[in-house]
Amino acid sequence: MSGRTQSFNVSEHFSNNSENNFQTQERTVIDRVEPPFWWVGMKEEILQLMIHGDNVAQFDIQTSTRDWQIENIHRTTNSNYVFVDMKISATAKPGSFNLNFVNHDPDKKDKNKVHSITYELKQRKDNSHLRKGFSSADTVYLITPDRFANADVENDQVKFLKEGVNRQDRDGRHGGDLQGIINHLDYIEAMGFSQIWLNPVLLNNHEKYTYHGYAITDLYQIDKRFGDHELYKQLSKKARQKNIGLIKDVVLNHIGSEHWWMKDLPSENWINHNAKFVPTSHKRESLHDLHGTDEDRQAFVNGWFVPTMADLNQKNPLLANYLIQNNIWWVEYADLSGIRIDTFSYSDKSFLSEYTHRLMQEYPEFNLVAEEWTTNPVLVSYWQRGKQRHDGFEFDLPSLMDFPLQDSLVRALTEKESWSDGWQKLYNILASDFIYANASELMVFPDNHDMSRIYTQLDHDLKLTKLAVAFIATTRGIPQFFYGTEILMENRESDSHGLIRSDFPGGWLQDDVSAFSQKGLSPAQKSMQDFTAKLLNWRKHKSVMHTGKLTHYAPKNGVYVYFRQNSTDKVMVVLNKNTHDVEINPQDYPTMLKLNGTSKIAKSVLTDKLYQLNVTFKVAGKSALILDLQ
């Protein structure tokens, strides 16, 4: 080994990494360098390389250029790893740079170069640092890629991946892929969506239950059953050509138990609980409890979800930096418009503070949305940037998923009206918006991939489902819809996640029904799809719905009325939950309508019907009336 001089070809990373871990029959000294390449002109001047190989820590590491200098070298208890801090000059040009590995043995007089890697620094896209993140001007379409459309049957089974396609298995892989999404970007655009959020598409190489993507076994590798890195980039590029952004779903809290790290951990404290399964308590309240104990806090943060999801210890600074750089790498590489962060609060608080700061420092107009699954708005609000906190922590997190609003919406539509129930639940939760630093930046949704379909939550009532969609599209925040909501996909049989994430009809050649063409859809499904498309396309071009102030009136008699307004525009929304028609008197809303006895005309967004606002008018039972005030 000491006499071998080889060059690490980083371009092989994508094509070979997951298949053979860079190992050939004659194993090289270095088998991984991550990140696989980087860019010049980044805000952070220090790039930390994780280098893995047989006893690689024994070598001294040298370089001979001013543009690319070694700032520090970190060695751990595992001699197969070394972490190298490279300082990249602000004036560095794109190109290839060498790192040379020489004998570390002080007893040897000759320090011979035994290995060399060539590392590439690329040119960034123009104004990459000023990329615009998703915002309240967008509507997000959430897709489970394995269940949306299978355009490439050749990647249904990949020889070095353990699980193949079995469409008969509810929890198995069904074959949907990135090409399937690319092929149907026209549909996504026509429906009025301007962002797509994909459940994770990184490698999940387990024996079973791999389709969902949340047990990642290589954080730099696209799962070949979805496609490859170039196809992921093509999806982003082709989507942008249609003014659709791409949001990446990332997991900071855990990795899959089959991740390559698990066979050779970088350090003893890389995985919580000495890499042994100990379940999390799920008691997120312990993080904020003034009367709580450190034992309870650690039981929440350090515990594992399930045995196949090894819980990462972000208190380890090398791991923390690895995760941050990995996320920045994907933003830059795939030209992302946002990141959705899974199980956010389960990670270490100090790490989350650094993570959000580093991402937003690199991309100040970007967006991050975090999952904090609780119906308590106090706990959700804690994490948002600009929030005054009791414990001194700072987070640069623009957005969170509004689970309190989702829960209140379902209750509003299913409970009998009373002074405290029904619409009052929704009114109350919106009246609590003062708890947030900026409620308008929250992501609002009727359902998602982890809960029953909204059509099922609303007892398979078409009219109530339309009310839910109308509300999400017109309230404050960033609306997000799960694929299939527009065609009433449901899970009345059970709350199995495999059923909730059923195949989108028309995504497979053998499908008799296609939502893309409306072939075989029921009248109710067609009605829902047309309703959604008209509403979202109107919203896309209506700026008052993006940034206009929300003003609502306390609900009465099963009716909830609110307005969106700015200096030049105003929209009135009437949601009638009653089974019967109701009479609306414009005089009941003087603050917002200011009629003063003069005639005003409004136009229905959904039917184009004109309404006189100086006389009473009817709103049909179980319907939404959205009026564009002229």
Side-chain angles (χ1 to χ4, degrees):
M1 182 169 67
S2 61
R4 184 184 302 147
T5 301
Q6 298 192 17
S7 175
F8 177 84
N9 183 357
V10 78
S11 66
E12 294 176 355
H13 185 94
F14 297 145
S15 60
N16 296 333
N17 192 21
S18 53
E19 179 172 3
N20 56 26
N21 212 25
F22 286 114
Q23 298 176 30
T24 60
Q25 290 182 345
E26 182 182 10
R27 180 170 175 140
T28 60
V29 176
I30 308 297
D31 57 32
R32 284 182 183 264
V33 177
E34 292 178 342
F37 50 80
W38 202 247
W39 295 265
V40 296
M42 302 295 281
K43 181 76 171 180
E44 175 57 59
E45 63 180 6
I46 301 297
L47 168 66
Q48 186 173 90
L49 300 178
M50 186 189 77
I51 302 173
H52 179 260
D54 278 343
N55 208 24
V56 69
Q58 70 177 303
F59 301 114
D60 280 331
I61 306 172
Q62 300 174 348
T63 188
S64 58
T65 172
R66 294 180 180 177
D67 288 344
W68 161 265
Q69 294 185 323
I70 296 174
E71 186 83 357
N72 204 352
I73 296 176
H74 309 272
R75 293 180 173 87
T76 71
T77 53
N78 187 341
S79 64
N80 292 334
Y81 288 87
V82 65
F83 294 79
V84 185
D85 293 346
M86 302 302 304
K87 185 174 182 179
I88 302 171
S89 168
T91 59
K93 303 297 183 186
S96 295
F97 300 83
N98 289 334
L99 278 181
N100 299 321
F101 294 73
V102 301
N103 288 321
H104 185 58
D105 189 343
D107 295 330
K108 292 187 177 181
K109 295 181 180 180
D110 297 325
K111 288 198 171 185
N112 298 321
K113 181 173 70 172
V114 296
H115 198 75
S116 173
I117 65 170
T118 301
Y119 196 86
E120 184 180 6
L121 295 178
K122 296 178 177 287
Q123 179 67 51
R124 298 181 75 181
K125 177 183 175 182
D126 289 346
N127 296 315
S128 176
H129 67 296
L130 295 178
R131 67 183 59 243
K132 300 288 186 182
F134 64 90
S135 71
S136 55
D138 292 302
T139 303
V140 180
Y141 196 47
L142 166 58
I143 297 174
T144 302
D146 181 67
R147 304 300 173 89
F148 189 67
N150 186 1
D152 183 3
V153 297
E154 296 298 320
N155 64 19
D156 287 356
Q157 180 73 53
V158 178
K159 65 178 181 179
F160 57 88
L161 299 183
K162 298 172 183 177
E163 185 178 18
V165 163
N166 180 1
R167 206 176 170 200
Q168 304 309 309
D169 182 357
R170 181 178 290 172
D171 296 322
R173 297 193 78 95
H174 291 187
D177 48 41
L178 295 174
Q179 190 62 54
I181 299 169
I182 291 171
N183 290 356
H184 295 293
L185 286 172
D186 285 344
Y187 170 80
I188 295 170
E189 179 188 30
M191 284 300 303
F193 297 105
S194 56
Q195 298 282 339
I196 49 177
W197 155 27
L198 307 184
N199 292 145
V201 294
L202 296 182
L203 182 65
N204 274 234
N205 195 11
H206 299 266
E207 293 285 350
K208 59 183 180 179
Y209 200 62
T210 65
Y211 78 91
H212 58 76
Y214 288 97
I216 297 166
T217 55
D218 191 322
L219 290 165
Y220 280 101
Q221 186 71 24
I222 296 290
D223 196 304
K224 290 187 181 297
R225 290 163 294 195
F226 292 133
D228 58 23
H229 287 72
E230 186 57 35
L231 197 61
Y232 189 60
K233 283 182 68 174
Q234 283 298 311
L235 169 60
S236 179
K237 180 179 179 180
K238 291 180 182 294
R240 282 196 179 275
Q241 291 170 354
K242 296 181 178 295
N243 295 315
I244 297 172
L246 179 61
I247 301 169
K248 188 175 190 296
D249 201 337
V250 306
V251 186
L252 303 174
N253 177 68
H254 54 265
I255 53 173
S257 59
E258 295 297 315
H259 191 287
W260 67 272
W261 280 335
M262 300 300 287
K263 299 175 180 63
D264 191 23
L265 287 175
S267 70
E268 293 175 348
N269 65 346
W270 204 255
I271 304 294
N272 283 321
H273 293 293
N274 297 314
K276 303 296 183 184
F277 173 68
V278 175
T280 176
S281 68
H282 294 292
K283 295 188 182 299
R284 54 183 35 83
E285 293 81 4
S286 65
L287 293 179
H288 317 287
D289 186 0
L290 297 179
H291 317 291
T293 66
D294 189 57
E295 289 88 345
D296 281 344
R297 286 187 283 274
Q298 297 307 313
F300 170 67
V301 173
N302 294 346
W304 297 30
F305 270 78
V306 292
T308 55
M309 294 178 176
D311 201 74
L312 294 170
N313 175 25
Q314 301 90 6
K315 294 184 182 69
N316 182 312
L318 299 175
L319 171 59
N321 199 52
Y322 179 97
L323 294 172
I324 292 168
Q325 288 184 165
N326 173 263
N327 279 216
I328 292 172
W329 188 91
W330 279 109
V331 173
E332 198 73 23
Y333 175 79
D335 198 18
L336 301 177
S337 65
I339 285 176
R340 179 263 183 183
I341 309 163
D342 183 66
T343 56
F344 186 77
S345 63
Y346 289 78
S347 294
D348 177 70
K349 264 189 189 182
S350 295
F351 162 73
L352 292 172
S353 177
E354 181 185 6
Y355 169 88
T356 56
H357 174 70
R358 289 269 300 276
L359 266 291
M360 297 308 294
Q361 173 186 260
E362 202 68 66
Y363 307 103
E365 297 183 41
F366 195 58
N367 206 346
L368 309 169
V369 58
E371 177 193 39
E372 172 64 316
W373 194 338
T374 173
T375 58
N376 184 345
V378 174
L379 300 187
V380 176
S381 69
Y382 169 86
W383 301 101
Q384 194 176 29
R385 69 178 173 189
K387 174 73 174 179
Q388 297 296 312
R389 299 175 186 84
H390 65 281
D391 55 9
F393 277 90
E394 293 294 334
F395 305 97
D396 203 2
L397 178 68
S399 180
L400 289 108
M401 305 182 73
D402 197 344
F403 284 94
L405 189 74
Q406 189 279 333
D407 178 72
S408 298
L409 173 62
V410 173
R411 292 176 183 273
L413 292 172
T414 55
E415 293 178 348
K416 185 177 180 180
E417 290 296 303
S418 73
W419 69 273
S420 61
D421 299 322
W423 284 128
Q424 193 65 36
K425 290 282 176 62
L426 192 59
Y427 173 82
N428 289 349
I429 206 71
L430 284 165
S432 303
D433 272 358
F434 63 87
I435 200 72
Y436 295 104
N438 189 346
S440 295
E441 290 191 336
L442 299 175
M443 182 172 281
V444 297
F445 53 98
D447 62 10
N448 66 17
H449 60 295
D450 284 327
M451 61 176 66
S452 285
R453 293 275 182 173
I454 187 61
Y455 186 49
T456 293
Q457 291 189 60
L458 299 178
D459 299 321
H460 307 102
D461 188 315
L462 169 63
K463 292 181 177 181
L464 289 182
T465 305
K466 286 184 176 180
L467 278 174
V469 169
F471 171 75
I472 293 297
T474 56
T475 192
R476 56 91 174 126
I478 306 165
Q480 169 252 297
F481 295 96
F482 191 27
Y483 79 96
T485 296
E486 73 271 28
I487 55 163
L488 303 175
M489 286 180 66
E490 43 90 4
N491 58 291
R492 70 183 73 207
E493 180 183 332
S494 77
D495 61 358
S496 159
H497 282 188
L499 179 60
I500 290 168
R501 307 161 189 167
S502 293
D503 295 345
F504 194 69
W508 283 253
L509 288 176
Q510 60 268 42
D511 289 355
D512 294 326
V513 177
S514 175
F516 300 117
S517 66
Q518 292 197 332
K519 174 188 174 184
L521 294 184
S522 70
Q525 288 177 308
K526 291 179 181 178
S527 175
M528 188 73 217
Q529 192 177 48
D530 293 342
F531 173 90
T532 304
K534 183 158 190 175
L535 180 58
L536 297 188
N537 277 291
W538 166 78
R539 186 190 189 280
K540 182 187 293 187
H541 304 290
K542 194 70 174 174
S543 62
V544 70
M545 304 310 298
H546 309 159
T547 57
K549 175 180 168 56
L550 170 66
T551 302
H552 65 172
Y553 285 79
K556 293 180 182 179
N557 303 319
V559 178
Y560 182 36
V561 176
Y562 56 92
F563 293 78
R564 300 295 301 276
Q565 62 172 328
N566 57 26
S567 60
T568 60
D569 212 352
K570 187 179 293 184
V571 171
M572 178 182 187
V573 181
V574 183
L575 303 180
N576 177 19
K577 195 178 76 173
N578 298 289
T579 57
H580 58 270
D581 296 355
V582 295
E583 195 97 348
I584 298 296
N585 185 354
Q587 299 292 339
D588 292 338
Y589 311 100
T591 299
M592 296 307 299
L593 292 179
K594 298 179 181 177
L595 296 174
N596 296 323
T598 61
S599 173
K600 288 194 175 182
I601 298 176
K603 184 178 181 180
S604 168
V605 168
L606 297 170
T607 66
D608 296 329
K609 179 180 176 181
L610 296 180
Y611 286 77
Q612 297 285 342
L613 295 183
N614 60 342
V615 294
T616 61
F617 55 87
K618 288 185 178 181
V619 178
K622 284 189 178 182
S623 76
L625 177 63
I626 304 170
L627 295 178
D628 195 346
L629 275 61
Q630 304 296 300

